[in-house]
Amino acid sequence: MISKLVENALNDQIRKEAQSSQFYLAMASWAETQGFNGIAMFLYTHSDEERLHMLKLVKFVNERGGVAIIPALEAPPVEFNSITYVFEELLNHEVMVTESINNVVDVCLKEKDYTTHNFMQWYVSEQIEEEALARTINDKLKMIGTDKGGLYLFDRDLETMAAAPPKV
Ligand code: FEO
């Protein structure tokens, strides 16, 4: 059984994962309209992964005697300034999600809820990977700058990454 404080922290995380999924979906759709099909594919996959992160939390909360709350979501932007901007935003967003996961872990320790603490370790590792990937992508984009040929190859690279089997 989870305490009310842990339940609230997990429900807050459910909302953040759902919001991430929605945000990356908007990025994917925008990239598709700009002709970046590889980037779009990568972002659609990323959006799906965030939904799975949310779902895993929903099931855990319910299994542990809490009540998962499926949240209303803010509408994400329709337009993005550039591909560089999209990935800068993605990294900022992941950093925010990491902070939020650290907060859940902190609540678990305060509440002496070692079961949820253990469950959350998967998210801790996942965030290390996601932040590292987002930083690598941002570094590549810095090197590419405004070079159209570079961006074309980058788009193809992300298509290959998106085709890799999902981790979840
Ligand atoms: Fe599920 Fe990328 O945080």
Side-chain angles (χ1 to χ4, degrees):
M1 185 84 188
I2 48 175
S3 72
K4 202 65 201 166
L5 282 179
V6 170
E7 184 179 349
N8 290 346
L10 291 172
N11 271 320
D12 185 55
Q13 194 60 38
I14 286 171
R15 190 174 51 75
K16 290 205 171 84
E17 301 289 349
Q19 195 68 55
S20 303
S21 177
Q22 195 81 336
F23 193 29
Y24 301 158
L25 182 58
M27 289 173 172
S29 177
W30 175 80
E32 193 166 50
T33 64
Q34 304 301 303
F36 292 110
N37 291 340
I39 295 169
M41 209 196 216
F42 175 86
L43 290 165
Y44 279 128
T45 305
H46 203 12
S47 169
D48 285 347
E49 282 182 15
E50 299 301 352
R51 188 175 183 282
L52 290 175
H53 296 174
M54 176 201 65
L55 205 55
K56 210 172 156 118
L57 282 158
V58 166
K59 291 182 175 167
F60 180 82
V61 170
N62 292 339
E63 259 170 34
R64 298 290 302 151
V67 176
I69 297 168
I70 309 305
L73 299 174
E74 286 164 35
V78 176
E79 301 270 347
F80 295 86
N81 293 338
S82 64
I83 294 297
T84 306
Y85 176 74
V86 162
F87 284 98
E88 279 169 6
E89 281 294 285
L90 188 143
L91 174 60
N92 291 339
H93 195 80
E94 287 302 327
V95 169
M96 181 275 288
V97 170
T98 302
E99 279 170 15
S100 172
I101 283 168
N102 289 343
N103 177 58
V104 179
V105 170
D106 198 41
V107 173
C108 290
L109 288 176
K110 284 189 180 125
E111 292 289 289
K112 296 190 171 23
D113 181 345
Y114 302 113
T115 308
T116 307
H117 182 271
N118 187 45
F119 168 79
M120 288 307 294
Q121 295 314 301
W122 182 87
Y123 287 85
V124 171
S125 315
E126 180 68 13
Q127 281 314 114
I128 295 171
E129 274 184 38
E130 291 207 347
E131 274 195 39
L133 177 62
R135 288 204 168 86
T136 306
I137 290 175
N138 274 284
D139 288 347
K140 274 194 195 178
L141 282 170
K142 269 189 207 120
M143 276 195 291
I144 292 165
T146 53
D147 174 27
K148 288 221 163 67
L151 207 50
Y152 173 77
L153 291 175
F154 173 81
D155 186 59
R156 292 208 353 207
D157 271 3
L158 285 210
E159 186 167 354
T160 312
M161 265 193 222
K167 296 175 269 98
V168 185

